[in-house]
Amino acid sequence: MSPSPRSVPSIRDVAAAAGVSYQTVSRVLNDSPRVRPETRTAVLAAIERLGFRPSRAARALSLGRARGITVVTSNTVLYGYATTLQGLEEAARAEGLAMGIRVVESAAPAEVKQAVDYVSDASAGGVVVIAWDPLGIAVLEALPPDVPAVAVVEPAAPDRGRVAIALDERRAAADATRHLLELGHRTVHHVAIPSEGGPGGRLAGWQDALAQAGAEIPEVLSCGWDIKSAYAAGRRLAAEREVTAILCGNDDIAQGVRRALYDAGKDVPGDVSIVGFDDIPGSAYWTPALTTVRMDFAGLGRACFHAAVAELTGQAQPDSARPALVPPALVVRESTAPPPHS
């Protein structure tokens, strides 16, 4: 029997090829006396035939260290990261498992190596890498193939041979942009978050909707994660009379842009409409209440937890077996309206 389509053969592949349980393979790998000689011979032959290397998952199972997960992330404060971590922790707690967090502070090779070495130890359990930014991506790409890991990624992220789970940010951003166009705005400007360097996230959805409508695609304004840089981007847009609609990379960015417009004497939504992203707590109580995209980050975390446990134990988990993710949804509030003089 051929191994499943993974980067390396798993303990489950060996078990299937030898016609035994994965627990029996684990006993053979650990020289347990509880295995019959003929069974041991069959398992060793399957290992040789498949080119199997005892993985960290196998060691963890045999050592009793599979009862937890470790999450690698560059940030624990920003809403999307924090709420994804919350979902992971809730799922782990519901199953009676432990969860650890390894924060990566830079993409320097030494820092990445330390993180990889840390999660490569069997005691780390299953691994979840939040790969929304260069730091997380660097760790994900440096992980040895036998480390069972699940990646939290942006849509259309490159296939790195790992189970990858994403929210459909691209479609959500396109929906938000279309909402503004349908109100009568000739185009929509975009203030982008730092993680949008790839082709499949919020930036791409904004471009999709404008291209499909035949609307002008303005220059993207990039900013950092901080509200101060969003405020600076908002000041630039406030100085341009033709700007009537802005899609912001997240709700924090929208807050900075909104303040810049206020300071420039621009009314929201009378002069300029704003749409945020994420639906952070409190966005419904701004003045005006923010139109934004609601994201199921907690559900994303729960799905990643279950996928990580399945990877660790060698139990292939089809997409249909994972917890259902609530699709991102546009929440229309007070910060969007038809353009002035429309």
Side-chain angles (χ1 to χ4, degrees), residues 190-250:
H190 184 40
V191 181
I193 54 176
S195 64
E196 294 186 333
R202 305 174 189 193
L203 174 63
W206 166 75
Q207 291 173 329
D208 290 345
L210 292 178
Q212 289 168 5
E216 174 194 356
I217 301 179
E219 175 189 0
V220 176
L221 290 183
S222 298
C223 63
W225 290 113
D226 60 298
I227 295 179
K228 183 178 180 180
S229 65
Y231 179 85
R235 292 288 289 183
R236 286 182 57 187
L237 292 172
E240 300 179 19
R241 294 186 58 184
E242 69 275 14
V243 175
T244 64
I246 304 171
L247 173 65
C248 299
N250 66 23

Side-chain angles (χ1 to χ4, degrees), residues 250-296:
N250 66 23
D251 291 349
D252 289 335
I253 302 304
Q255 184 177 9
V257 170
R258 169 71 182 92
R259 179 67 197 200
L261 293 169
Y262 175 83
D263 287 349
K266 295 291 185 77
D267 179 67
V268 175
D271 297 315
V272 182
S273 290
I274 297 179
V275 176
F277 225 100
D278 294 348
D279 195 23
I280 64 173
S283 62
Y285 299 95
W286 291 12
T287 303
L290 182 66
T291 294
T292 185
V293 175
R294 181 171 295 155
M295 303 281 282
D296 185 21

